[in-house]
Amino acid sequence: MRLEAKQALFNALSKLLLVLTGALVIPPVVSRVAVGHTDQRLYEKQAEVLNLIKRDGITAFVREEQDETYADYNLLKQEYITLSPLPTAKAPDKAVHIFNEPRQVGNEIEDFRILSSEFRAKGRPYRLEIGSSLATVELLTATLRHMALWVLIVGALLTVITDAAFSHYLLSPLRRLISQKLQGVHHPSAFPFESIPTTTTDFRRLDDSLNEMMRTIQSAFEKEREFMSNVSHELLTPVSILQSRFENMLQDPELGHAHSLKIVDSQKTLYRLRNTVKTLLLIANIENEQYLRDESVSLAAVLADVTNELEDRLAQRELKLLVDLKPDYVLTAANRTLLFTLLFNLISNAIKYNHWGGSITIQGAMQAKGYLLSVTDSGPGIAPEHLPHLFDRFRRFNSGAASPEGYGLGLPIAKTIAEFHKAVLSVESVLGKGTTFKLLFT
């Protein structure tokens, strides 16, 4: 999972946890807020009533001689005010009490939140009660709870969206680093050294470190290529001189038969050495891009030339060759000589590591990613542990045949030429069933 996706998932889960926590915490908090709000309103109404009594006098509400109780209800019986005279001898309680208690309103009994206080007016004590219906309190509580939960949910969604947008913006330099300097680079020579624009110190350090590391790798590659090229050139000269001397020695009529056989063996060794040097020089020249890709080349035409070249070897081992290119594929920027070498090595390899009287199938077809050319043999196959190292230079494996077989520089050359043409060379193999080399031209 990508870093941005993980961060977005974490933000979403954290906001969900926040909403769930809010759903548990908000109801009691809102209930306390609603009750506190109701109590505050009761205190305010108490102050208003006492101010009215102070301004108009107690007789405006209660007739002292009849000991009446003054009561006032609003239309929906959600609030009420009562003013009751107390016995003259009783001293008023200066404390204010707030409590919940059911009261009869008309023919119904309602639960009220009641504020009760006592005071003295014209020398007589009175009790003042101001009540607010608990149904009103519960309605206020539900309204505040729903409002708070919706605000919490909407706020969480908005923060998730803004966090995701900010993370996307913040991690954009990292995505560019991955796409341009990691995934998009298949060879050190193709590495782009342009700095990624970013104000994040960590990404800037990562970009600088990648550039420095790739400069070191490029330098090492260049030194290796230069060394291979120089060594190959320098080795070809003494090898050619030795071959000439051996040929002159073979022309000597006084040379004995035993010595002639030894010289011939030495010539064979020099021939293998010369081919190896030429192969290394070819790889170095390709990697140094000393070849041009300025030809339009038909794969079918090159394949026909290769099969004609290998016709004798196919007949010698009684191998059946099946070619099926539907359709043909033309490379617009290619090198025909190198493509010939590439296909020659693959088919030659299929001939070499095949059973006597086996078969070789060459197929080509267009796919979604490009043109796929495959070369399949019916040989003994390759062990799975050897497949990752099949294109390494100077690696020798047991091919799975009766006798150990060696993989020399033919496949490394094929890999190098494929990369030179922006193609991907891969291999699949099953022991006892054969091997398939695949070339994908994009």
Side-chain angles (χ1 to χ4, degrees), residues 210-227:
L210 282 175
N211 290 340
E212 185 64 28
M213 180 181 67
M214 290 307 298
R215 286 190 179 93
T216 303
I217 293 175
Q218 277 195 3
S219 176
F221 265 70
E222 291 299 328
K223 291 178 180 178
E224 179 186 358
R225 290 176 179 178
E226 184 180 357
F227 174 78

Side-chain angles (χ1 to χ4, degrees), residues 30-77:
V30 168
S31 296
R32 295 190 62 180
V33 170
V35 171
H37 176 72
T38 302
D39 292 346
Q40 181 64 29
R41 290 183 67 248
L42 293 176
Y43 278 113
E44 292 174 357
K45 288 184 176 296
Q46 179 204 28
E48 291 179 7
V49 171
L50 292 178
N51 287 335
L52 289 174
I53 293 174
K54 184 178 179 181
R55 187 189 67 184
D56 300 333
I58 193 64
T59 56
F61 300 93
V62 179
R63 296 181 181 180
E64 298 180 67
E65 64 276 8
Q66 295 181 4
D67 288 341
E68 293 179 341
T69 298
Y70 172 81
D72 181 32
Y73 295 87
N74 66 358
L75 182 62
L76 299 178
K77 304 296 189 292

